[in-house]
Amino acid sequence: MKLFLYQLKQAYLSLKEKPGFVFSVVSTMGITLGSLLCVLTLAYVMLIKPLPYPDQERLYRVEHQLISNEGLVDGRAFTYPNLMHLYQQQTLFSQSALSYFDADVLTSNANEPMVTISYVTPQWFEIFATKLEKGRAFSSSETLDTYHPVAILSYETWQTEFAGKSNILDEKISFGGNSYRVVGVTAKNNIELPLAGPGFNTQIYVPWDFNPFSEEQRKRWGDDDSGLSFIGKLKAEGSSTPSITQINHQLSTLINDNWQLQVSHQAFFKGWSIKLEASLLQSYLVGDSKRSVLLLIIGALGLVIIACANISNLFVSRTAERQQQLAIHAAIGASKGQLFQTILAEITLIMSLSMIVAQFITFAGFTALNFYLADFLPRVDELALNAFSLSASFSLLLVLTLVFSYLCRNMINYRSLNSTLQSSGKGNGIQVSKRVRNILISSQIATATALIFINILLYTDAIELVDQPLGYETEQTFAAVLAVANIEETARSQKLSELKTQLLSSPKVKAISQGMRPSIFSTRAATLSANNHRYTLSGKDVDHQYFSLINQSIIEGDNFTEADIKDRTNVMVINDVFAKMIAPNGSAIGMKFETGRRVIGVVKSINIPGRNYAEPRFYYPASLARNMLLIKLHPQQSLSRTELVRELKGVSAQLSLFSYSSLTDYKNERLFSSVATAITTVVLAILTLLLSALGLYGILSYASHMRRFEIGTRLAIGAKGKDIIQMALKDNANAIIVGVVLSLLILLGLYFGFNEQLHSYLSTEILPIFISTLSLILLISFFACYLPLRQYINKPAIHSLRGSD
Amino acid sequence: MSVILSMDNVSKVFETEELETHALKAISLTINKGDYVSISGPSGCGKSTLLSIMGLLDVATAGKYFIEGVNVTELSLDQAAEVRNAKIGFIFQSFNLIDELSVFDNVALPLRYHSDKLSNDKIKERVTLCLEQVGLSHRISHKPNQLSGGQQQRVAIARALVAQPAVLLVDEPTGNLDSKAGDQVMDLLESLNKNGTTICMVTHDPRYADMATTKIQLLDGTILKAPLAKMVG
């Protein structure tokens, strides 16, 4: 042990003299290992790590399915009464909780912000062991039908909307026409479960009783709402845990039997049934993100492989360099094992340093992931340097150190070290065998080509989506959703018309449209009278200003008129995709649907940001009581939320602003994942290029260094610079070709192995991308061959021959 | 007597950051066709440097150098390679054969770089001839590391002869050989010279130096005009 410590010290002193070498290894390994660890920890947190709640392996989410009389799943959401029935009658779960996720305007705050609200039963806080900063959680005083108007704020809400004031408890807040008393604040480090999806965190908790379902809606057995959720903790009954099938069967029977009785009088539901499916909460939360994580792992692994090939080469060259030194150690009496320890000491030191750098990179990676992807990947907020990441780091460190050490050790023939001292170090000394060199080159090229190809493909795909023309304008246009619940229905049209007039009178406002914003559609069904064919398509309500405001072209027929909107005539405008569907050989104008609705115009389709296809769509006149506005401002003008709220209040104190964003913001939101993909792939591709260029250069530079006497001899005989370059290219051509073929095999393997997942990416032109990738790699290979030769062919031949005698 | 090589006040200075080494100082000499010249002197006297400049492996710092009447002092690297290939046959102390190539390919190598591309038959003809001259035609398919030191050096000599150079430049040919192999090589060189080959050889072994017809002594970068004994006195 003492010897090893001594060797470590010697290694440190020796490495001090080689800052370039140390820097190359530490930076390459640090960055790639850091990335790999970051991605592995992400995979662990998302896929393996248990949820941070007590008894999480018994936590289930129950899904409610409406099965049509054709046996197809018509909807996957609870109906209110079924949910209540389940909650009150089930016997499988020892604890269960309900939640409904919604949003509303906090009218008690001066700037009337929109806040997200979860209506929950008190067991919610028990099941998730919610940590509190202040006050208390809901308890028996908030069970069903107590209507106790209390609220719990999230830590973040307390800080941002209430300035973190210390006397927050007992503060009164109001929204949706009700007033609540704050009784608690969740802790800063409390990990919430965003059931509605990543990014949908709750700002205010309120008892279940106050959910926005009216008395009448609470009795509708056939209407489902996807915001209704049921979480249950399975009873821990001794040895036998029921299987999923048993659980599902029991729950389905419980609900279905009762439901059939309740809807027996409704002809529509004849032959329909209810099915309940429970799934472990943990797996439900991960959902589709598995694929993204796997892709990231592949990318990181690829980088590590390239880096390892580079580093192997660096270590091997270093060992060859130290050959003389090692021979002296052997001459003095070092045994084989002790020589191995010398090598091990140096490699341990460098790899440990790399691993420390990697930890910083991993931490930076977590921060970046948290910042950019918290809204897209679940459980990202649980990313931290934890036991998993540390044990992964340690294992990687151990494995890599041993692998590199054995690689170097195998280079040394202990018996012939002696001759190294006697000869001048030329000829039969330690060299990287041609086979190892070719393996290193081929593996570099194979991995680099495959990785770069994949990244360029993903990039092209993403950029196409980002760049595609929308077919409508978003500049200077804002979408406002108003909260009008407090205004009597009959008065709404009048108030909203007043509002429109008032806004138009402002010099800032260019145009107003009342209706939904461009990228939102709801799913409708329409039956064509002519052939009784039922179409499912997207539809939305707009007014006569809509198309001109967003500059969407009308290509046939007419737009809605002001009278159409006022009278709500039974007309519709359809997009060209739908027009082609219902009138493939003629004009769709005048065609009628079962409801009596008549087509009066056809518009050119728009592209929703983030999607590259347009589905069939139709537009119908919006009611004058529609609570959504599109506001187009004149160039260089701006209208803040506060200013708009002031205008609203000017018309009626009961008008509130629910949401207000620019269309450009919405567009960027939708394009976010494409932009993130584009950026990530570019970064990965550049890193791959850099690493492989460095690696290839290193390998070939070493190879030409080893052959310098041969190069000198050829020069002496009469070879010119270009002859030497040709020789180097020919010698490495095989390895490069093998590398390219290998990459093709890898890509084909990926294609066949993951066909369904990759299918959507194969629409772009693969061949030009592969050719450009290949050209890039070949260019790098050429320079990697050529550059190391320059020192030999640009000087008189004697320089390459020095030392050969 | 035609002049093969002529040097006029050739100097070579090696410069590093800290010091300037004057390896050769104003060397002037002439080698005629058929000459057998030896250059000897103590370690560090500059003889290897002189030979490299003669062989266009290095560039002189000052002076003029002519090969067969052509001024080759300021050639580009590529031009120098052409002249080397056509006019010079170099034989190194450490043989400098290429291990991956067979004896045949080693000897043929200069012809492959030749500016007139010869046909494969012509190449075979020349190579076989030169190997016969050095007595190694029975080893034509072997690899260099299958041969003894003496045999390797003779292959190197065959390689030096294959392009029919104007002069053979030989750098310590017996340095890595035992005395018997060394004698064999020296005998070969002598017989080559008797058949008309011009040879300029660097050696520190006085026995072998004596085998040459003209002996040049180098000391500290200059040619000694007087015999060594007088200088010491």
Side-chain angles (χ1 to χ4, degrees), chain A residues 526-538:
Chain A
T527 311
L528 195 59
S529 304
N531 58 8
N532 245 333
H533 192 107
R534 187 165 183 257
Y535 295 92
T536 310
L537 66 166
S538 306

Side-chain angles (χ1 to χ4, degrees), chain A residues 165-203:
Chain A
K165 62 192 209 182
S166 43
N167 56 343
I168 186 66
L169 295 181
D170 289 338
E171 168 99 358
K172 280 254 161 65
I173 63 174
S174 49
F175 54 85
N178 287 333
S179 183
Y180 305 86
R181 184 170 53 91
V182 177
V183 295
V185 178
T186 60
K188 186 168 184 201
N189 59 353
N190 184 50
I191 297 181
E192 187 206 340
L193 195 77
L195 273 179
F200 289 108
N201 293 72
T202 305
Q203 291 173 281

Side-chain angles (χ1 to χ4, degrees), chain A residues 710 713-721 723 793-798 801-802 804-805, chain B residues 14 52 57-58 77-78 81-82 84-85 92-94 96 98 100-101 109-110 113 159:
Chain A
E710 183 190 331
T713 306
R714 287 176 184 259
L715 287 173
I717 292 174
K720 303 203 184 108
D723 295 313
I793 62 180
N794 286 350
K795 284 196 236 161
I798 191 67
L801 288 167
R802 285 227 173 86
S804 66
D805 291 316
Chain B
F14 291 108
S52 359
L57 293 176
D58 203 353
L77 289 175
D78 277 355
E82 264 186 55
R84 265 204 306 278
N85 180 265
F92 302 92
Q93 178 177 350
S94 51
N96 279 357
I98 298 174
E100 280 100 44
L101 302 177
L109 201 52
Y113 293 133
R159 177 180 70 190

Side-chain angles (χ1 to χ4, degrees), chain A residues 277-441:
Chain A
E277 270 182 18
S279 55
L280 276 170
L281 192 52
Q282 189 180 0
S283 44
Y284 165 70
L285 282 178
V286 168
D288 297 326
S289 313
K290 247 195 220 171
R291 192 190 72 168
S292 319
V293 175
L294 284 175
L295 277 178
L296 279 176
I297 293 185
I298 291 180
L301 263 181
L303 278 184
V304 169
I305 291 177
I306 295 181
C308 283
N310 291 2
I311 302 298
S312 304
N313 174 61
L314 280 175
F315 277 133
V316 152
S317 330
R318 171 119 176 103
T319 308
E321 226 176 65
R322 294 179 73 199
Q323 186 187 327
Q324 188 81 358
Q325 210 189 79
L326 291 169
I328 295 173
H329 281 268
I332 295 176
S335 69
K336 255 162 73 166
Q338 285 163 332
L339 275 187
F340 174 67
Q341 265 181 249
T342 312
I343 298 175
L344 185 65
E346 193 175 89
I347 295 185
T348 305
L349 218 53
I350 296 189
M351 291 306 296
S352 305
L353 190 58
S354 308
M355 196 43 90
I356 294 177
V357 170
Q359 300 301 311
F360 284 103
I361 305 281
T362 309
F363 183 73
F366 289 160
T367 317
L369 278 176
N370 221 321
F371 186 73
Y372 289 106
L373 295 181
D375 286 353
F376 293 86
L377 292 176
R379 307 186 69 184
V380 164
D381 46 358
E382 290 177 62
L383 277 178
L385 290 172
N386 53 21
F388 174 79
S389 73
L390 285 175
S391 51
S393 306
F394 188 72
S395 319
L396 278 171
L397 179 61
L398 199 64
V399 166
L400 286 174
T401 304
L402 286 175
V403 164
F404 288 137
S405 303
Y406 274 105
L407 182 65
C408 294
R409 199 275 297 266
N410 284 346
M411 283 172 64
I412 306 175
N413 185 340
Y414 188 73
R415 271 181 275 263
S416 61
L417 267 183
N418 256 343
S419 54
T420 311
L421 278 177
Q422 268 124 38
S423 77
S424 54
K426 138 190 195 311
N428 296 335
I430 304 174
Q431 292 186 21
V432 183
S433 77
K434 195 162 158 93
R435 203 181 60 130
V436 170
R437 192 174 85 230
N438 283 344
I439 291 177
L440 287 179
I441 293 177

Side-chain angles (χ1 to χ4, degrees), chain A residues 516-547:
Chain A
M516 288 170 95
R517 61 181 165 89
S519 50
I520 303 279
F521 287 89
S522 44
T523 316
R524 299 304 178 97
T527 311
L528 195 59
S529 304
N531 58 8
N532 245 333
H533 192 107
R534 187 165 183 257
Y535 295 92
T536 310
L537 66 166
S538 306
K540 70 153 158 263
D541 53 321
V542 299
D543 71 2
H544 55 296
Q545 311 277 30
Y546 174 77
F547 296 115

